[in-house]
Amino acid sequence: MNAGAPLLTVEDLRVEFQTRTQLVRAVRGVSFSLGREKLGIVGESGSGKSQTGRAILRLVAPPGRVTAKKLEFDGIDLMATGEAQMRDIRGKRIAMVLQDPKFSLNPVMTVGKQIAEAYRAHASADRAAAKQRALDMLRAVKMREPERVYAAYPHELSGGMGQRAMIAMMLATEPDLLIADEPTSALDVTVQLQVLAILDDLVSQRGMGLIFISHDLNLVASFCDRVLVMYAGRVVESLRASELGQAKHSYTQGLLAALPRIDKPVKELVVLKRDPAWAGERP
Amino acid sequence: MKKLLSPAFAKDSTRLVLSVALTFVGLLLVTFLIGRVVPIDPLLAAVGDRAPAEVYERVRVELGLDKPLWQQFWIYMVKVVQGDFGRSVLTSNVVLDDILRVFPATLELATLATLLGVSLGVPFGVIAAVNQGRWPDQLARVIGLLGYSVPVFWLGLMGLLLFYAKLGWVAGPGRVSVAFDDYVTPITGVILFDSAVQGEWEAFGDAFRHLILPAGVLGYFSLAYISRMTRSFMIEQLRQEYIVTARVKGLSEARVIWRHALGNVMVPLITVIALSYGNLLEGTVLTETVFAWPGLGLYITNSLLSADMNAVLGGTIMVGIVFIGINLLSDVLYRFVDPRAK
């Protein structure tokens, strides 16, 4: 691929849901571009961050409607791509780690089969080769007993193990871009860091692009190169992770101010005051 | 197979056997009480209403009806466990023999009907769910609604009129044509099976032509129910997150639906199919009447109408045993389909 061109370009992305009574606009004109870097998207529930991720994979559930001036991945216009070609891109070139392994893994299929299946969907590998690949991936996500995990059903794994299996599954095909939709929100705090470290390692090793969707501003800042802050379906601020302190938008400032700090204990945390203007359309 | 030998499984099995035994005793108690509570005097049926008082009294003692109720129940239970349900007044046969004669007819009919209902109903339901709100869904809905709302005897009569009388595609009422009466030596009583085992293909064909219409009518009802349930289970599963995962992996839509979603739908569907099969095995009086099918439903109904309590109780216990068996079977299947079931 062209070294200078970005991996993914998103311009004026909109996701709308026509319900019986009203038109819900979940994403309202989001634009960004991404190289082989780690981009964090932060926002509260309903800010449109997850729908942005799903729109890139063209997996917004009906009746959702996606429009964009430009949605280009490695020179491919994703808006104009047919469903069959889209299936070739999904899993093989763009993959996604979902939030909670309790729900995102098929409960009646062994973990190993699910990983091997992801690999076989795109590589012309026989059963044995796919199994080998799955075991390698389980080792890559630091499973101590890959053989046992391979034969296990999702309910037999802990949350952290489930999420590592999910990462193994999504990286088995060596995609160029990984979208991680709140990959650690459902996990225990102690396990979160471990899973993040594994994810970070693998993404860096393979030189992939990563879109890390989260509601945790500090986590994103420590983990990503760049951060987009979303509010009510729009990007209100985009900044380098290291410059989070210099955030200009009052929403980002408000979020940062609302966080407790271990070095400066306060009696009462600041409550974010919302300004209706934040949600307004761009001039 | 490691699972089958584990102590947990052994403990489970013990619990299962105990609960089955308990259910069976409960079933006997209820049928026994019903048999004693109904305002039918079993003595009058045995001695006739003109018998002198001494005879009446002597038979009462002979039959053990003078003993306390709990003792009667004990005797009854011991006999039932030995397979002794007494003699039918109506057919003057031993009730067990009667049941062993009529049940295979019902078994044959219900099994084929269920096979038809499942093999068509499940795909129908899946296709309807995938095309929710579009024409295939509407079509499946109309077909299902007809199955629910059209009376079975009418459907049976119309089927006979069209496929037997007008088109001549199938054979008429009864299990076999007169020419094939007692033609196949009964082994199990299921004619299709017996004739196939003995290589009597002409008899097999004749029995099949008799069976296919009533089985089709019942299968249609079973299809209506199974496809509706499949549809709603499927819609629920298609909303789950693991379906998104499967799509993210770039799997074909066919694989997402038939492997991932249907694999999970099978879990609740087994119960639905088992219940529907159980209902058909109970005997379907209307269908059996229309098609002159000598099955369990017809037998129990006829016995009831002539106050033949031994036969009624025997039939009732048979239905109970069938239900217990079906439940057991679905329990076992459940373990194979759902790894979460312990």
Side-chain angles (χ1 to χ4, degrees):
Chain A
M1 68 174 273
N2 192 335
L7 188 58
L8 177 76
T9 313
V10 179
E11 235 182 88
D12 198 21
L13 176 73
R14 287 161 193 276
V15 181
E16 291 169 349
F17 293 87
Q18 179 67 58
T19 67
R20 204 175 308 184
T21 49
Q22 56 171 339
L23 183 72
V24 178
R25 295 187 292 173
V27 180
R28 310 187 297 157
V30 163
S31 303
F32 63 91
S33 72
L34 173 84
R36 292 187 177 263
E37 58 179 331
K38 287 178 274 184
L39 173 74
I41 301 183
V42 223
E44 55 196 34
S45 305
S47 61
K49 54 192 195 305
S50 288
Q51 290 302 338
T52 302
R54 291 192 182 194
I56 294 167
L57 279 162
R58 290 249 314 268
L59 281 176
V60 169
R65 224 163 47 86
V66 179
T67 54
K69 276 209 189 95
K70 193 173 179 188
L71 189 61
E72 200 176 271
F73 169 75
D74 196 15
I76 306 163
D77 179 2
L78 293 181
M79 292 305 292
T81 310
E83 186 53 31
Q85 203 192 340
M86 207 57 223
R87 273 201 295 276
D88 279 343
I89 294 172
R90 281 184 209 130
K92 188 179 183 188
R93 308 219 46 206
I94 310 178
M96 178 158 81
V97 172
L98 294 148
Q99 181 169 350
D100 193 339
K102 265 210 294 297
F103 305 113
S104 57
L105 294 172
N106 185 340
V108 301
M109 206 169 169
T110 61
V111 170
K113 277 220 181 85
Q114 294 186 54
I115 300 175
E117 182 190 41
Y119 183 59
R120 282 191 83 183
H122 302 289
S124 53
D126 59 12
R127 267 167 212 280
K131 180 173 183 183
Q132 199 46 54
R133 177 71 182 169
L135 288 171
D136 288 346
M137 285 315 296
L138 286 173
R139 247 170 248 126
V141 294
K142 310 240 159 57
M143 292 288 190
R144 246 169 276 149
E145 299 168 275
E147 297 274 356
R148 192 182 71 80
V149 175
Y150 184 92
Y153 284 96
H155 74 277
E156 296 167 326
L157 302 183
S158 68
M161 285 169 92
Q163 200 58 307
R164 273 147 64 198
M166 181 81 183
I167 293 170
M169 174 160 46
M170 288 306 170
L171 294 185
T173 51
E174 308 258 332
D176 300 293
L177 172 62
L178 182 69
I179 302 168
D181 188 356
E182 306 245 11
T184 56
S185 306
L187 307 180
D188 290 341
V189 184
T190 45
V191 186
Q192 278 185 3
L193 290 175
Q194 183 200 14
V195 170
L196 274 179
I198 288 168
L199 187 64
D200 191 19
D201 261 10
L202 293 175
V203 167
S204 311
Q205 271 170 29
R206 288 165 167 72
M208 305 163 46
L210 173 73
I211 297 178
F212 189 90
I213 298 167
S214 174
H215 61 263
D216 189 336
L217 196 52
N218 273 344
L219 182 78
V220 166
S222 66
F223 184 67
C224 297
D225 307 316
R226 218 145 50 81
V227 180
L228 297 182
V229 183
M230 283 187 72
Y231 184 78
R234 300 199 306 125
V235 175
V236 293
E237 183 143 34
S238 164
L239 68 173
R240 299 215 64 78
S242 51
E243 294 160 358
L244 202 61
Q246 288 115 55
K248 289 189 190 67
H249 196 276
S250 39
Y251 176 59
T252 320
Q253 287 169 350
L255 283 181
L256 288 168
L259 288 169
R261 288 178 57 171
I262 200 146
D263 55 334
K264 265 197 239 157
V266 287
K267 269 229 176 76
E268 228 175 285
L269 286 170
V270 181
V271 175
L272 182 71
K273 285 194 193 69
R274 284 156 203 281
D275 183 345
W278 297 344
E281 285 284 352
R282 225 174 304 202
Chain B
M1 288 297 96
K2 210 167 51 185
K3 212 163 150 191
L4 291 178
L5 299 172
S6 69
F9 186 82
K11 201 175 140 197
D12 272 6
S13 311
T14 320
R15 194 181 300 150
L16 206 64
V17 170
L18 275 176
S19 81
V20 166
L22 209 65
T23 314
F24 187 67
V25 172
L27 172 71
L28 286 186
L29 186 64
V30 171
T31 48
F32 172 79
L33 286 179
I34 290 173
R36 290 296 176 271
V37 168
V38 286
I40 293 173
D41 189 345
L43 279 173
L44 279 185
V47 300
D49 50 5
R50 293 192 191 163
E54 316 78 87
V55 178
Y56 183 92
E57 195 50 38
R58 185 169 49 87
V59 175
R60 198 168 95 93
V61 175
E62 268 172 20
L63 290 179
L65 290 172
D66 56 333
K67 297 195 170 73
L69 211 55
W70 67 266
Q71 222 170 350
Q72 287 186 35
F73 177 61
W74 177 251
I75 293 166
Y76 174 73
M77 202 163 74
V78 168
K79 287 203 162 163
V80 163
V81 168
Q82 291 165 347
D84 181 2
F85 297 97
R87 209 169 260 279
S88 158
V89 178
L90 185 64
T91 63
S92 69
N93 292 331
V94 173
V95 168
L96 186 67
D97 290 348
D98 273 349
I99 288 174
L100 289 181
R101 199 186 64 246
V102 296
F103 184 67
T106 292
L107 180 70
E108 194 167 36
L109 186 57
T111 306
L112 189 64
T114 301
L115 284 178
L116 284 173
V118 171
S119 60
L120 294 174
V122 172
F124 262 48
V126 170
I127 289 166
V130 172
N131 295 288
Q132 206 184 334
R134 289 195 289 275
W135 71 263
D137 188 22
Q138 308 293 2
L139 185 68
R141 191 194 306 268
V142 170
I143 291 174
L145 254 165
L146 279 178
Y148 276 139
S149 45
V150 173
V152 64
F153 61 88
W154 185 84
L155 202 64
L157 285 173
M158 290 302 119
L160 278 174
L161 185 67
L162 183 63
F163 296 111
Y164 169 58
K166 290 263 184 237
L167 297 170
W169 290 356
V170 300
R175 286 186 83 186
V176 287
S177 305
V178 181
F180 289 100
D181 248 347
D182 296 323
Y183 185 81
V184 178
T185 322
I187 305 169
T188 57
V190 177
I191 294 182
L192 284 187
F193 179 83
D194 292 351
S195 58
V197 164
Q198 295 168 41
E200 299 284 359
W201 295 110
E202 246 177 291
F204 182 89
D206 181 68
F208 185 76
R209 261 177 290 122
H210 277 88
L211 180 60
I212 190 66
L213 190 58
V217 168
L218 286 178
Y220 183 34
F221 279 77
S222 148
L223 174 153
Y225 177 55
I226 289 172
S227 70
R228 287 319 281 173
M229 296 309 279
T230 305
R231 179 185 180 271
S232 75
F233 292 147
M234 194 73 190
I235 285 172
E236 189 193 321
Q237 290 302 323
L238 284 174
R239 285 198 199 112
Q240 304 296 316
E241 282 285 286
Y242 69 83
I243 294 296
V244 177
T245 306
R247 292 205 168 113
V248 166
K249 291 199 276 190
L251 302 181
S252 68
E253 200 55 19
R255 196 164 168 88
V256 171
I257 291 162
W258 296 98
R259 176 94 168 91
H260 284 267
L262 189 61
N264 282 277
V265 165
M266 282 323 286
V267 177
L269 202 56
I270 281 178
T271 313
V272 166
I273 293 171
L275 277 178
S276 144
Y277 187 39
N279 276 328
L280 293 183
L281 279 177
E282 196 176 317
T284 42
V285 185
L286 291 176
T287 313
E288 288 177 0
T289 308
V290 169
F291 290 96
W293 197 264
L296 189 62
L298 208 53
Y299 178 72
I300 297 180
T301 311
N302 284 341
S303 309
L304 194 64
L305 292 178
S306 46
D308 186 354
M309 283 321 282
N310 279 345
V312 171
L313 291 189
T316 309
I317 287 168
M318 186 65 212
V319 169
I321 290 172
V322 163
F323 260 90
I324 293 173
I326 294 274
N327 268 318
L328 214 59
L329 187 71
S330 70
D331 257 20
V332 171
L333 281 178
Y334 202 82
R335 280 158 211 259
F336 279 100
V337 174
D338 191 352
R340 288 161 297 186
K342 277 191 182 161

mmCIF file of all heavy atoms in Angstrom, chain B residues 137-154:
data_model
loop_
_atom_site.group_PDB
_atom_site.id
_atom_site.type_symbol
_atom_site.label_atom_id
_atom_site.label_comp_id
_atom_site.label_asym_id
_atom_site.label_seq_id
_atom_site.Cartn_x
_atom_site.Cartn_y
_atom_site.Cartn_z
ATOM 1 N N ASP B 137 -41.717 -14.111 4.949
ATOM 2 C CA ASP B 137 -42.225 -14.120 6.319
ATOM 3 C C ASP B 137 -43.753 -14.146 6.313
ATOM 4 O O ASP B 137 -44.388 -14.913 7.041
ATOM 5 C CB ASP B 137 -41.689 -12.890 7.051
ATOM 6 C CG ASP B 137 -42.010 -12.924 8.537
ATOM 7 O OD1 ASP B 137 -42.248 -14.024 9.070
ATOM 8 O OD2 ASP B 137 -42.016 -11.848 9.160
ATOM 9 N N GLN B 138 -44.340 -13.297 5.466
ATOM 10 C CA GLN B 138 -45.803 -13.243 5.372
ATOM 11 C C GLN B 138 -46.360 -14.582 4.911
ATOM 12 O O GLN B 138 -47.346 -15.080 5.446
ATOM 13 C CB GLN B 138 -46.254 -12.151 4.386
ATOM 14 C CG GLN B 138 -45.668 -10.783 4.641
ATOM 15 C CD GLN B 138 -46.161 -10.170 5.943
ATOM 16 O OE1 GLN B 138 -46.927 -10.793 6.678
ATOM 17 N NE2 GLN B 138 -45.707 -8.961 6.240
ATOM 18 N N LEU B 139 -45.693 -15.175 3.913
ATOM 19 C CA LEU B 139 -46.136 -16.458 3.386
ATOM 20 C C LEU B 139 -46.106 -17.520 4.493
ATOM 21 O O LEU B 139 -47.072 -18.258 4.692
ATOM 22 C CB LEU B 139 -45.233 -16.870 2.220
ATOM 23 C CG LEU B 139 -45.647 -18.139 1.477
ATOM 24 C CD1 LEU B 139 -46.936 -17.908 0.716
ATOM 25 C CD2 LEU B 139 -44.546 -18.596 0.528
ATOM 26 N N ALA B 140 -44.986 -17.553 5.221
ATOM 27 C CA ALA B 140 -44.854 -18.526 6.308
ATOM 28 C C ALA B 140 -45.921 -18.272 7.366
ATOM 29 O O ALA B 140 -46.467 -19.211 7.959
ATOM 30 C CB ALA B 140 -43.460 -18.440 6.924
ATOM 31 N N ARG B 141 -46.238 -16.989 7.588
ATOM 32 C CA ARG B 141 -47.255 -16.650 8.585
ATOM 33 C C ARG B 141 -48.628 -17.181 8.166
ATOM 34 O O ARG B 141 -49.354 -17.759 8.971
ATOM 35 C CB ARG B 141 -47.307 -15.122 8.750
ATOM 36 C CG ARG B 141 -48.136 -14.666 9.939
ATOM 37 C CD ARG B 141 -48.436 -13.187 9.855
ATOM 38 N NE ARG B 141 -47.235 -12.378 9.691
ATOM 39 C CZ ARG B 141 -46.540 -11.853 10.707
ATOM 40 N NH1 ARG B 141 -46.928 -12.052 11.932
ATOM 41 N NH2 ARG B 141 -45.470 -11.140 10.475
ATOM 42 N N VAL B 142 -48.957 -16.972 6.877
ATOM 43 C CA VAL B 142 -50.256 -17.429 6.379
ATOM 44 C C VAL B 142 -50.345 -18.951 6.459
ATOM 45 O O VAL B 142 -51.332 -19.516 6.936
ATOM 46 C CB VAL B 142 -50.470 -16.945 4.925
ATOM 47 C CG1 VAL B 142 -51.696 -17.619 4.317
ATOM 48 C CG2 VAL B 142 -50.628 -15.431 4.890
ATOM 49 N N ILE B 143 -49.277 -19.630 6.027
ATOM 50 C CA ILE B 143 -49.264 -21.097 6.069
ATOM 51 C C ILE B 143 -49.426 -21.578 7.517
ATOM 52 O O ILE B 143 -50.209 -22.486 7.800
ATOM 53 C CB ILE B 143 -47.951 -21.636 5.459
ATOM 54 C CG1 ILE B 143 -47.949 -21.368 3.954
ATOM 55 C CG2 ILE B 143 -47.801 -23.128 5.735
ATOM 56 C CD1 ILE B 143 -46.649 -21.722 3.261
ATOM 57 N N GLY B 144 -48.710 -20.915 8.418
ATOM 58 C CA GLY B 144 -48.793 -21.284 9.825
ATOM 59 C C GLY B 144 -50.183 -21.044 10.394
ATOM 60 O O GLY B 144 -50.747 -21.886 11.088
ATOM 61 N N LEU B 145 -50.751 -19.895 10.066
ATOM 62 C CA LEU B 145 -52.078 -19.543 10.576
ATOM 63 C C LEU B 145 -53.117 -20.548 10.107
ATOM 64 O O LEU B 145 -54.002 -20.965 10.875
ATOM 65 C CB LEU B 145 -52.469 -18.150 10.096
ATOM 66 C CG LEU B 145 -52.408 -17.067 11.165
ATOM 67 C CD1 LEU B 145 -52.459 -15.697 10.528
ATOM 68 C CD2 LEU B 145 -53.543 -17.238 12.160
ATOM 69 N N LEU B 146 -53.023 -20.928 8.829
ATOM 70 C CA LEU B 146 -53.952 -21.930 8.301
ATOM 71 C C LEU B 146 -53.818 -23.221 9.100
ATOM 72 O O LEU B 146 -54.812 -23.852 9.459
ATOM 73 C CB LEU B 146 -53.649 -22.194 6.827
ATOM 74 C CG LEU B 146 -54.225 -21.182 5.836
ATOM 75 C CD1 LEU B 146 -53.799 -21.531 4.421
ATOM 76 C CD2 LEU B 146 -55.741 -21.158 5.930
ATOM 77 N N GLY B 147 -52.570 -23.594 9.371
ATOM 78 C CA GLY B 147 -52.321 -24.820 10.128
ATOM 79 C C GLY B 147 -52.961 -24.781 11.493
ATOM 80 O O GLY B 147 -53.476 -25.776 11.993
ATOM 81 N N TYR B 148 -52.935 -23.599 12.109
ATOM 82 C CA TYR B 148 -53.521 -23.457 13.444
ATOM 83 C C TYR B 148 -55.045 -23.499 13.405
ATOM 84 O O TYR B 148 -55.691 -24.063 14.272
ATOM 85 C CB TYR B 148 -53.149 -22.098 14.041
ATOM 86 C CG TYR B 148 -51.820 -22.055 14.714
ATOM 87 C CD1 TYR B 148 -50.985 -20.966 14.545
ATOM 88 C CD2 TYR B 148 -51.401 -23.092 15.535
ATOM 89 C CE1 TYR B 148 -49.755 -20.904 15.158
ATOM 90 C CE2 TYR B 148 -50.176 -23.044 16.152
ATOM 91 C CZ TYR B 148 -49.357 -21.948 15.969
ATOM 92 O OH TYR B 148 -48.152 -21.895 16.576
ATOM 93 N N SER B 149 -55.597 -22.821 12.391
ATOM 94 C CA SER B 149 -57.016 -22.485 12.491
ATOM 95 C C SER B 149 -57.936 -23.431 11.722
ATOM 96 O O SER B 149 -59.114 -23.490 12.019
ATOM 97 C CB SER B 149 -57.235 -21.037 12.046
ATOM 98 O OG SER B 149 -56.518 -20.795 10.858
ATOM 99 N N VAL B 150 -57.423 -24.159 10.754
ATOM 100 C CA VAL B 150 -58.301 -25.067 10.022
ATOM 101 C C VAL B 150 -58.501 -26.330 10.861
ATOM 102 O O VAL B 150 -57.528 -26.918 11.318
ATOM 103 C CB VAL B 150 -57.679 -25.423 8.660
ATOM 104 C CG1 VAL B 150 -58.489 -26.484 7.969
ATOM 105 C CG2 VAL B 150 -57.563 -24.191 7.796
ATOM 106 N N PRO B 151 -59.752 -26.749 11.076
ATOM 107 C CA PRO B 151 -59.977 -27.953 11.881
ATOM 108 C C PRO B 151 -59.371 -29.168 11.187
ATOM 109 O O PRO B 151 -59.465 -29.307 9.971
ATOM 110 C CB PRO B 151 -61.494 -28.083 11.953
ATOM 111 C CG PRO B 151 -62.047 -26.832 11.401
ATOM 112 C CD PRO B 151 -61.004 -26.154 10.612
ATOM 113 N N VAL B 152 -58.775 -30.034 11.985
ATOM 114 C CA VAL B 152 -58.015 -31.145 11.424
ATOM 115 C C VAL B 152 -58.915 -32.129 10.663
ATOM 116 O O VAL B 152 -58.536 -32.656 9.628
ATOM 117 C CB VAL B 152 -57.205 -31.855 12.519
ATOM 118 C CG1 VAL B 152 -58.121 -32.476 13.540
ATOM 119 C CG2 VAL B 152 -56.278 -32.885 11.942
ATOM 120 N N PHE B 153 -60.132 -32.333 11.158
ATOM 121 C CA PHE B 153 -60.984 -33.308 10.469
ATOM 122 C C PHE B 153 -61.377 -32.802 9.089
ATOM 123 O O PHE B 153 -61.469 -33.555 8.132
ATOM 124 C CB PHE B 153 -62.231 -33.649 11.305
ATOM 125 C CG PHE B 153 -63.123 -32.479 11.577
ATOM 126 C CD1 PHE B 153 -64.109 -32.144 10.678
ATOM 127 C CD2 PHE B 153 -62.968 -31.721 12.741
ATOM 128 C CE1 PHE B 153 -64.943 -31.065 10.920
ATOM 129 C CE2 PHE B 153 -63.793 -30.643 12.988
ATOM 130 C CZ PHE B 153 -64.781 -30.309 12.075
ATOM 131 N N TRP B 154 -61.563 -31.479 8.999
ATOM 132 C CA TRP B 154 -61.915 -30.897 7.702
ATOM 133 C C TRP B 154 -60.752 -31.050 6.727
ATOM 134 O O TRP B 154 -60.917 -31.464 5.583
ATOM 135 C CB TRP B 154 -62.265 -29.410 7.895
ATOM 136 C CG TRP B 154 -62.749 -28.767 6.632
ATOM 137 C CD1 TRP B 154 -64.008 -28.785 6.126
ATOM 138 C CD2 TRP B 154 -61.952 -28.018 5.702
ATOM 139 N NE1 TRP B 154 -64.054 -28.103 4.941
ATOM 140 C CE2 TRP B 154 -62.812 -27.623 4.663
ATOM 141 C CE3 TRP B 154 -60.609 -27.656 5.651
ATOM 142 C CZ2 TRP B 154 -62.373 -26.868 3.574
ATOM 143 C CZ3 TRP B 154 -60.157 -26.905 4.575
ATOM 144 C CH2 TRP B 154 -61.037 -26.515 3.544
#
